Amino acid sequence: MKSQETLEAQLRIVTPVFCAGAEQNGASEIRPFSIRGALRWWYRAVAGDSLKEEASVFGATTGNGTASPIALQLGSWLSEETPLDDRLQPKRAPESGAAYLGYTLYLGSNNRKAVTPGKEPVTLRLRWNWKPASSERQQYIRRAWAASLWLFGHLGGLGTRARRGFGTLALENWTGWEEETGLLGTAHGAASPEQWKERFDSGFQKIGQWFPAPTGALHQHVSQNLQVYLWRTGKRSWDQALDEIGKVFQDFRRRPEIHRPELLAAFGLPIRFRRHPARFARPEKFNRAASPLQIRVVPIGSNYHPMVWRAAGPLVPKQELRLSYSGHYSDQPPREWDRALEQFLDHIRPHCV
């Protein structure tokens, strides 16, 4: 079928994308390599058999060096050198939720540039490099790429601070591969938060039928009982939406009963404290640990709605989290290491549809 040869998608830039090349303070670029890497992450996050199948879907340089059957092309590479230091500088974090979420972008010697909203949509094409012999195998590969793109365009982000609301690209339209795109649809274009969530749940349920969720995975992934926390009331701009969720997040983390290393670990490591005996905490045997909590901005009509969701899986790939500290402090995370994270989700639930 001709309609199955190429998938074309348009992704809207919703929040600034900080995705530099080798020069971290140089131009930010939206390139096919970056998006391809993001889609590979989403395949690992959703497919239970990803370790066995990933090389045959996305290609590999190890083993037999299999080339991917799918080529990813962009209509144009977007490059921009807009600084947002007047908006996101660290000293503004106490007053600005957006600056709090983007705290590291202009910290110290950082002078990060962004591709900003308002540009033309990112046009992406997926086409066959070569086809497996069986139609069943072709269908699996189309579904793997389509599901990864759908999740990226509804839950994910691109570049630095993507887990904290920056780099949001919204999948607004796609054509081709009708067996996949027609079944999944897209939640963007909904008239209300309730309709967006209904469309999202429908598409996500279909992906769950295609791919069993990872079980016992030692990496962060998407469980089949995923819940998204979408704000009922939107804001007039992306930065106002990040201000909203950023201030809620900041205020919660500063609660005296929460502001402790063993509880804040669930929000990402390492962490530093100015007025705490620990001063500094990081996971043992690891330099960093990304929080399962992810923030995004969803455009609905003329408004922008904060959204939060959490990934399943451990904070670090081992059974029990232990922190190493500098300073005189030795408390370790409770057995339910994500207790503060769950309390935060309960805290924001009244705001959400």
Side-chain angles (χ1 to χ4, degrees), residues 3-39:
S3 61
Q4 297 298 333
E5 295 301 312
T6 302
L7 181 153
E8 182 168 313
Q10 286 77 44
L11 297 109
R12 172 182 172 183
I13 302 172
V14 180
T15 61
V17 181
F18 295 87
C19 193
E23 174 50 59
Q24 290 297 288
N25 289 331
S28 185
E29 298 179 312
I30 298 179
R31 301 173 295 171
F33 321 113
S34 302
I35 294 180
R36 188 182 188 93
L39 299 189

Side-chain angles (χ1 to χ4, degrees), residues 37-64:
L39 299 189
R40 185 188 286 261
W41 188 94
W42 281 104
Y43 176 70
R44 294 174 180 174
V46 73
D49 57 359
S50 62
L51 290 179
K52 180 179 69 175
E53 299 286 355
E54 181 180 323
S56 66
V57 174
F58 285 91
T61 57
T62 57
N64 295 327

Side-chain angles (χ1 to χ4, degrees), residues 313-353:
L315 187 67
V316 295
K318 55 193 300 186
Q319 292 297 314
E320 189 171 326
L321 175 66
R322 285 190 60 81
L323 307 180
S324 58
Y325 298 102
S326 60
H328 303 290
Y329 193 79
S330 60
D331 283 5
Q332 291 295 331
R335 186 171 296 276
E336 63 281 10
W337 60 266
D338 58 351
R339 185 169 65 198
L341 192 155
E342 290 300 323
Q343 289 177 6
F344 176 72
L345 295 177
D346 288 340
H347 175 67
I348 66 174
R349 200 183 306 272
H351 294 281
C352 303
V353 294

Side-chain angles (χ1 to χ4, degrees), residues 137-153:
R137 192 63 194 162
Q138 293 176 26
Q139 181 186 68
Y140 181 91
I141 291 170
R142 286 198 313 269
R143 287 181 171 181
W145 278 86
S148 300
L149 176 57
W150 191 94
L151 290 165
F152 169 71

Side-chain angles (χ1 to χ4, degrees), residues 160-177:
T160 301
R161 307 303 284 178
R163 289 173 180 257
R164 291 296 177 258
F166 292 92
T168 293
L169 300 180
L171 177 62
E172 291 198 316
N173 183 48
W174 56 353
T175 57
W177 293 11

Side-chain angles (χ1 to χ4, degrees), residues 96 104 152 183 186 198 225 240 246 261 269:
S96 164
T104 63
F152 169 71
L183 288 173
T186 176
E198 180 181 349
N225 60 352
Q240 289 178 3
L269 288 167

Side-chain angles (χ1 to χ4, degrees), residues 182-203:
L183 288 173
L184 296 180
T186 176
H188 299 297
S192 67
E194 291 79 7
Q195 187 181 60
W196 191 96
K197 191 169 185 301
E198 180 181 349
R199 291 182 180 183
F200 174 87
D201 290 342
S202 175

Side-chain angles (χ1 to χ4, degrees), residues 263-282:
L263 296 179
L264 290 182
F267 296 119
L269 288 167
I271 48 178
R272 295 181 182 273
F273 295 81
R274 290 185 179 179
R275 300 178 183 87
H276 192 281
R279 298 298 183 193
F280 179 81
R282 65 177 176 82

